[in-house]
Amino acid sequence: MRAAVLREVGAIPEPGEWDDPPAPGEGEVVLEVAAAGVNPIDLAIASGRFYGGAPDTPCVAGREGIGHTEEGGVLVYFDAPVPPFGSMAERTLVRAETVVPLPDGADPVASLAFGIAGLAGWLALSHSGALQKGESVLVLGASGTVGRIAVQAARLLGAARVTAAARRPDALSDLGADAVCGLSEDELKEACPDGADVILDPLWGEPLVAALALGRRGTRVVQIGQSAGASAEIPSALIRGRPLSIVGHANFAIAPEDRHAALRTMVEHNLRGELSVPVEAIPLAEVSEAWERQAGSPGAKLVITP
């Protein structure tokens, strides 16, 4: 079969030939892949920078996808294929417990935005941030896929006020936020003068420090990434003087049933036209180019189609 093959740690996957998955063992299932997501975590794993360790190579790249079951053709989402198989291939082998049947009418390419990226935006608010109806939310890095989903999710989850912040605030006009702004402390204060109950941070670094100045008593900061830098110099008074809390979020730390329910909920919102992000389908033959684009700021969710 055709697949995106990672020959060695630190390399870029290339289109090539790979053996078909074997007959599935107990608790496993073979899927015909319709679409595979390209995510920052894929790049981190392939480079050896992922905290979970480097993969054994050669292997097939890709951690999430959408496909059809061989029996019945049911459309399902899956993640974490059984090594050395990955999602960026015509077929893959997965653990049955990771398979999530999708609602009728779901589009495989569009729905992939609500997997790893979508869950990071949704669950960081609903679970790790414990967002309550009527509260206010500030989303940093709102122009990325995670941020765009988080802005819309905040509203769908009942937030009374949503502020979206990014390096290019002009790219946020279509999200329906109450206010949009840049990432400097002055811009944040002007757009969000009363602070926020929940601050979603996929950036870390200087933008987080600027946002902490908006914290108020009881503010919860949910940390989900480090796009702006791996370290931040945070004066202790910003934390103690409010006081506020900073909690780390990772999708795997949320119970599988909650992840699966959130995924289906987001796809249902998408089918009703209530939740969407830009998505770009890219053929498997161009996986190396897509990989390099993901390392920058692609401006859309990149999806590989075998």
Side-chain angles (χ1 to χ4, degrees):
M1 66 176 182
R2 296 291 289 169
V5 182
L6 180 69
R7 300 293 179 187
E8 60 183 8
V9 174
I12 295 176
E14 299 177 348
E17 296 295 323
W18 194 263
D19 289 339
D20 274 298
E26 184 177 356
E28 297 177 338
V29 60
V30 171
L31 298 175
E32 296 284 340
V33 179
V38 186
N39 298 284
I41 190 174
D42 296 311
L43 276 64
I45 291 172
S47 69
R49 293 183 288 105
F50 183 56
Y51 56 76
D56 292 329
T57 55
C59 62
V60 178
R63 192 174 175 86
E64 69 166 349
I66 289 178
H68 295 88
T69 56
E70 291 188 313
E71 296 183 2
V74 176
L75 189 68
V76 300
Y77 171 85
F78 65 89
D79 66 359
V82 178
F85 298 97
S87 60
M88 298 179 189
E90 294 177 316
R91 288 170 292 282
T92 194
L93 179 69
V94 303
R95 293 186 296 275
E97 65 191 25
T98 74
V99 170
V100 185
L102 296 178
D104 292 341
D107 176 82
V109 173
S111 297
L112 253 186
F114 309 116
I116 290 174
L119 290 171
W122 187 281
L123 293 172
L125 294 175
S126 65
H127 285 64
S128 298
L131 177 64
Q132 304 298 307
K133 290 184 178 181
E135 290 189 320
S136 59
V137 174
L138 167 62
V139 178
L140 305 179
S143 59
T145 299
V146 174
R148 293 181 71 88
I149 289 173
V151 171
Q152 298 170 80
R155 188 72 75 202
L156 292 167
L157 290 166
R161 178 178 172 81
V162 183
T163 302
R167 287 181 300 174
R168 292 184 54 245
D170 58 306
L172 307 175
S173 60
D174 62 330
L175 290 180
D178 295 288
V180 300
C181 65
L183 295 170
S184 72
E185 184 174 333
D186 288 343
E187 290 172 300
L188 289 166
K189 285 183 176 179
E190 182 177 354
C192 196
D194 298 322
D197 295 298
V198 179
I199 298 174
L200 184 65
D201 171 42
L203 304 179
W204 202 244
E206 292 183 5
L208 172 64
V209 178
L212 288 176
L214 278 65
R216 59 194 188 196
R217 183 176 294 275
T219 291
R220 289 98 68 196
V221 179
V222 186
Q223 216 296 304
I224 61 174
Q226 55 179 48
S227 297
S231 61
E233 186 174 336
I234 302 173
S236 65
L238 284 180
I239 309 300
R240 293 181 294 107
R242 302 301 192 259
L244 54 79
S245 60
I246 300 177
V247 59
H249 170 84
N251 289 343
F252 69 80
I254 306 299
E257 57 270 25
D258 292 329
R259 296 200 306 269
H260 298 173
L263 173 64
R264 286 191 291 265
T265 295
M266 284 187 284
V267 174
E268 289 167 353
H269 281 302
N270 176 255
L271 290 171
R272 293 195 293 267
E274 299 166 345
L275 179 62
S276 65
V277 294
V279 178
E280 182 179 346
I282 300 170
L284 178 60
E286 299 175 15
V287 65
S288 299
E289 293 85 345
W291 199 266
E292 293 179 324
R293 286 180 59 194
Q294 182 61 53
S297 299
K301 170 71 176 180
L302 303 183
V303 176
I304 300 299
T305 54

